[in-house]
Amino acid sequence: MRTPVLAANWKMNKTRAEAREFMVALLEGLPDNGTEVVICPPYTALTATVGAAEGSRVTVAAQNMHQAESGAFTGEVSAQMLRDLGVRGVVLGHSERRQHFGETDEALAEKVPAALAAGLQPILCVGEDEAQRDGDETADVLTQQIDTDLASVPEDELAKVVIAYEPIWAIGTGRTATPEQAQEAVALIRVRLSGRSTEMAEQVRILYGGSVKPGNAADLMAQPDVDGALVGGAALDPADFLAIVGAAGQ
Ligand code: PGA
């Protein structure tokens, strides 16, 4: 049995005070349903969120990092710096970083092992855009991203990586993938991973992301290969996010 993961991607939202306020409401309402809950604030709210999560089962992840340990990389942050704040994971390869900030699969091939080496849990995002889906290229896109981004991760570490399947056409659009579309893509990713190691592929948590809301979360997560959700818009409100966390325990 794979433990479900519910991750809240706040993107470029929330001040420290807003992060603390969210955390109070989250911890007050958090069901004891055996899920893993991860909050991904902007860098500036990491420390406040880590502090607010202390003593709870909620962990905190960053939204990006650089692959080098240190050096002349103005504006960047390393895995070690995140660890130093009490951060436990990091989102890598989010489509907004790929689209707007030049994130490449080649860089991700270094970032994923660098995160693991520093003891951070990577949440690797993959997914096709609308033209690729319409052109029947979804399988090729996912295969290429998975193969390249995880190429340097040793087999026995694969299960430490969380993967988020996020079709770009579903992110922030209100156009959620159907549960069947989500299952099909997530199963394809798992089959691809089993080419590396069947045992590890069975253990890897693969999430769905893209317009997950309280009203559609249960159906998406009821799919046999969907092990949770990466939530953007609906994770800004603690009541909505709590409803999604609750849906995972059903
Ligand atoms: P959304 O974002 O839930 O607002 O579609 C998901 C994401 O970008 O991770």
Side-chain angles (χ1 to χ4, degrees):
M1 275 302 285
R2 297 181 291 265
T3 303
V5 179
L6 287 308
N9 176 14
W10 286 350
K11 310 192 179 185
M12 196 172 72
N13 292 289
K14 293 197 192 292
T15 60
R16 291 176 300 161
E18 288 164 346
R20 282 190 212 100
E21 205 181 313
F22 177 101
M23 289 302 290
V24 169
L26 176 72
L27 296 180
E28 226 171 62
L30 195 65
D32 191 11
N33 65 353
T35 54
E36 226 172 277
V37 177
V38 185
I39 307 294
C40 314
Y43 290 130
T44 48
L46 283 172
T47 299
T49 311
V50 167
E54 216 174 279
S56 79
R57 67 187 171 88
V58 176
T59 59
V60 177
Q63 299 173 12
N64 184 32
M65 57 162 241
H66 193 274
Q67 58 271 37
E69 278 182 34
S70 62
F73 301 105
T74 302
E76 293 292 321
V77 167
S78 73
Q80 287 75 12
M81 291 167 184
L82 296 174
R83 281 297 305 249
D84 186 44
L85 299 181
V87 169
R88 304 268 292 277
V90 61
V91 176
L92 293 173
H94 190 279
S95 65
E96 286 152 16
R97 297 224 54 91
R98 293 179 189 257
Q99 276 182 300
H100 307 308
F101 303 101
E103 183 71 278
T104 62
D105 287 311
E106 290 64 37
L108 290 165
E110 295 181 31
K111 287 186 179 195
V112 179
L116 287 169
L120 290 176
Q121 177 178 60
I123 303 176
L124 174 69
C125 303
V126 295
E128 81 288 358
D129 65 23
E130 190 161 24
Q132 290 163 334
R133 174 155 286 263
D134 291 346
D136 229 1
E137 293 163 36
T138 301
D140 289 346
V141 171
L142 295 179
T143 300
Q144 187 266 327
Q145 289 175 335
I146 290 290
D147 286 1
T148 311
D149 302 353
L150 297 177
S152 302
V153 176
E155 255 162 52
D156 60 350
E157 300 245 304
L158 267 183
K160 293 184 189 161
V161 180
V162 172
I163 295 172
Y165 166 61
E166 297 208 308
I168 296 170
W169 47 270
I171 295 178
T173 59
R175 255 184 80 198
T176 319
T178 63
E180 294 72 29
Q181 285 172 325
Q183 167 61 24
E184 192 187 8
V186 166
L188 184 146
I189 293 169
R190 199 178 300 287
V191 167
R192 191 72 194 171
L193 292 174
S194 67
R196 299 274 306 275
S197 158
T198 324
E199 195 193 332
M200 287 297 152
E202 278 307 309
Q203 292 175 34
V204 173
R205 273 87 56 84
I206 311 180
L207 320 182
Y208 167 78
S211 298
V212 175
K213 308 281 177 222
N216 59 28
D219 283 348
L220 287 159
M221 292 189 284
Q223 297 300 312
D225 282 289
V226 178
D227 304 316
L230 178 54
V231 188
L236 293 173
D237 177 72
D240 283 350
F241 186 60
L242 277 169
I244 293 167
V245 173
Q250 285 170 9

